[in-house]
Amino acid sequence: VKRKEQAVAERILENDEYAQVQEEIERQHRAYEKKFQDSLGRHASEERNRQILITKTTDKVDLIDTTGRGVRPFEPSQVTTIRDHSFGLGHNPRKSGKLLDDVIDMVRDKPEHAAMDKDDFGEYNRLVPAPPPKLADLDGTAGEGGDESGAVGMGSIMQPVPAKPSGVSSAVLEAQLTSAQSDADPASAPGSASSSRASSAQGKTRSLVPTRPQSKFEMNARARVQAAQRTRMMEGQTQVAAGKTFHGSAFVAKPEKVTFKDFDVGKEYHHRFILTNVSLTFNTFKILNLPDSVRDFFEISYEKPGRMSAGMTCAIDVCFRPAVNEDIITEIPVLCETGPIMVPLLCTTKKVVPSLDTNDVYFGDHVVIGEEKIIHLHIKNGGALHTHYELFDKRTGMVVGSDAQIVPPGFGFGVGDGAATAEDGGAEGGAEAGA
């Protein structure tokens, strides 16, 4: 009986331990489910993105403006400390000096570089400019080897002259030595006028260190790179989005032509047209200068939109101030990422545009002898400039009809003096208007 009671008690304990384990597992599962459900919310994903931006960016910010106003696209290496293609070149025009130093420190802190001295540049020590010599290097202290007047003693004269730093001219080194010796003069103590003059002269000397002139190879290489970049900008880049390659003009102007019609010299005219991005994805544009012969007559203004997504528009205002009474036919050059486009620009002066409602004056075949028939001609001036007109007989060249009259712009005038008398069974009469 005791054995059975003990076995029952052991089974009860085992069941209790198993139940506790199962409860702990279920509690962990419920905690995992709750954590997973909490992570699905929008606030959780935004918080994760915020923490990633704060830990990865150099300025520890949680928001990055990727819609820059430059022609070139945004690069991640400008806001993060990563090693890019410019590492080792010592220069990147799109990164500040602090970012370059941070990249160097990041590479130096790697385990494989732990044994490297921070101030040891290895074989490149010869490229580091030497500091300017000090008085202590030349003669010890200010009073040693000299009299009370502060003159340089014999110790500085007997000591060997320090080697000239690499890349520094003799004139610059001489000025630095003169400045260092003037520090030993009591008259050049801190706060004196001579001391300030010496410090300013030393600062100017350091800023005027001449650089090495470029060789012919470097100048030719620079010219080739500039020519290649200019060609690439003028021809544009191929735009591929979602596996599709874009062909054609990236921007469409509405209206298609910028027209200033019938302008007067001395007045000011304004015209606005809209540029729409019809490419497959983001694109940018820049309006270049007009030709030199007409550049002074126009002023183009617009708010720079930066990178424009597909379908976005930009309004461009053109101000025209004519100074000569001549027609201007040119184009507005627009440089885009996918290549340049041209917007026609047309400016016309006031002109005379005469027209008739018919080219031939025909009285028909049924005019009998003694009968009179009248045909009316309508003369119209479709231009914006006043003009005079006269009617001449085509065969004799004599003036016919009434005296010359003035036809204002856009006005039609009816002529009823084209009468003819049929002779010998019928005749055809004609009149020609000469302006």
Side-chain angles (χ1 to χ4, degrees):
V1 173
K2 291 182 179 180
R3 215 174 25 252
K4 291 182 179 180
E5 291 179 353
Q6 185 177 358
V8 171
E10 290 177 356
R11 285 199 296 272
I12 292 175
L13 291 176
E14 291 178 357
N15 292 334
D16 290 342
E17 292 178 356
Y18 179 78
Q20 292 177 1
V21 171
Q22 293 297 325
E23 289 178 358
E24 180 65 21
I25 294 175
E26 291 179 359
R27 187 186 64 80
Q28 293 180 358
H29 287 172
R30 289 194 298 270
Y32 291 152
E33 289 179 358
K34 184 177 182 304
K35 184 178 179 181
F36 176 72
Q37 291 177 357
D38 294 341
S39 65
L40 295 180
R42 180 177 178 180
H43 66 283
S45 60
E46 291 180 352
E47 181 63 24
R48 285 197 303 269
N49 296 337
R50 178 176 175 275
Q51 293 299 330
I52 291 174
L53 289 173
I54 291 176
T55 55
K56 295 297 183 182
T57 55
T58 56
D59 297 335
K60 307 300 180 184
V61 296
D62 57 352
L63 182 63
I64 299 176
D65 183 13
T66 59
T67 59
R69 295 182 179 273
V71 176
R72 295 183 59 184
F74 179 83
E75 293 182 357
S77 61
Q78 295 179 267
V79 294
T80 57
T81 306
I82 59 176
R83 199 174 85 174
D84 57 355
H85 66 281
S86 65
F87 180 75
L89 300 179
H91 176 69
N92 189 340
R94 306 201 69 191
K95 297 177 68 173
S96 61
K98 183 179 181 302
L99 288 177
L100 297 176
D101 295 339
D102 292 343
V103 173
I104 296 175
D105 295 338
M106 180 192 68
V107 176
R108 186 187 292 116
D109 293 340
K110 290 186 176 181
E112 58 267 23
H113 303 149
M116 182 181 297
D117 188 5
K118 183 176 182 180
D119 298 329
D120 184 16
F121 296 96
E123 61 175 331
Y124 300 103
N125 280 326
R126 58 187 178 82
L127 302 178
V128 180
K134 299 181 181 179
L135 181 63
D137 299 334
L138 300 176
D139 198 17
T141 60
E144 294 179 359
D147 52 10
E148 295 180 357
S149 62
V152 179
M154 292 299 295
S156 62
I157 301 176
M158 300 301 295
Q159 289 181 358
V161 179
K164 183 178 71 173
S166 175
V168 183
S169 62
S170 300
V172 175
L173 181 59
E174 184 179 354
Q176 293 176 351
L177 290 174
T178 305
S179 176
Q181 291 179 0
S182 63
D183 293 340
D185 192 355
S188 64
S192 62
S194 59
S195 176
S196 62
R197 287 195 298 268
S199 61
S200 62
Q202 184 178 4
K204 292 181 180 179
T205 302
R206 291 182 180 178
S207 63
L208 295 177
V209 175
T211 58
R212 179 182 61 82
Q214 291 185 349
S215 63
K216 182 175 179 59
F217 173 78
E218 292 174 338
M219 290 189 293
N220 293 339
R222 181 183 181 90
R224 288 195 300 269
V225 172
Q226 290 177 346
Q229 182 182 10
R230 190 180 301 108
T231 303
R232 184 170 59 254
M233 293 179 63
M234 294 306 299
E235 294 180 354
Q237 301 177 358
T238 304
Q239 186 185 89
V240 180
K244 297 181 180 179
T245 303
F246 177 76
H247 300 283
S249 299
F251 287 86
V252 173
K254 186 178 181 181
E256 298 180 355
K257 296 181 180 180
V258 179
T259 305
F260 295 95
K261 187 178 180 181
D262 302 332
F263 65 84
D264 291 325
V265 177
K267 293 185 178 181
E268 183 174 308
Y269 302 89
H270 294 270
H271 189 90
R272 170 175 288 190
F273 67 97
I274 307 296
L275 277 183
T276 305
N277 180 14
V278 296
S279 61
L280 301 177
T281 181
F282 289 96
N283 211 323
T284 58
F285 75 90
K286 178 182 179 181
I287 296 182
L288 304 180
N289 293 329
L290 294 173
D292 296 339
S293 58
V294 298
R295 183 183 303 176
D296 298 336
F297 305 149
F298 298 92
E299 180 180 350
I300 301 177
S301 59
Y302 62 99
E303 184 178 355
K304 296 179 176 58
R307 298 189 70 199
M308 300 173 58
S309 59
M312 296 296 293
T313 60
C314 178
I316 300 175
D317 296 323
V318 181
C319 178
F320 177 43
R321 300 184 183 92
V324 293
N325 193 27
E326 296 179 359
D327 292 344
I328 299 176
I329 301 176
T330 182
E331 293 177 330
I332 302 176
V334 182
L335 183 62
C336 311
E337 291 183 5
T338 53
I341 62 174
M342 298 293 178
V343 179
L345 178 60
L346 180 62
C347 305
T348 58
T349 59
K350 292 182 177 180
K351 294 180 176 62
V352 177
V353 186
S355 62
L356 291 170
D357 60 344
T358 180
N359 294 328
D360 297 325
V361 180
Y362 181 62
F363 290 93
D365 298 333
H366 303 288
V367 181
V368 299
I369 297 175
E371 183 180 356
E372 185 178 282
K373 188 174 183 179
I374 298 176
I375 294 180
H376 296 277
L377 302 179
H378 294 274
I379 303 175
K380 182 180 179 181
N381 182 13
L385 193 64
H386 291 72
T387 185
H388 298 270
Y389 79 94
E390 291 180 344
L391 298 179
F392 295 91
D393 192 308
K394 185 176 181 180
R395 294 169 295 181
T396 62
M398 302 297 292
V399 178
V400 297
S402 59
D403 295 334
Q405 303 182 31
I406 298 178
V407 180
F411 181 77
F413 192 84
V415 181
D417 294 333
T421 302
E423 296 179 358
D424 297 336
E428 180 179 346
E432 182 177 354

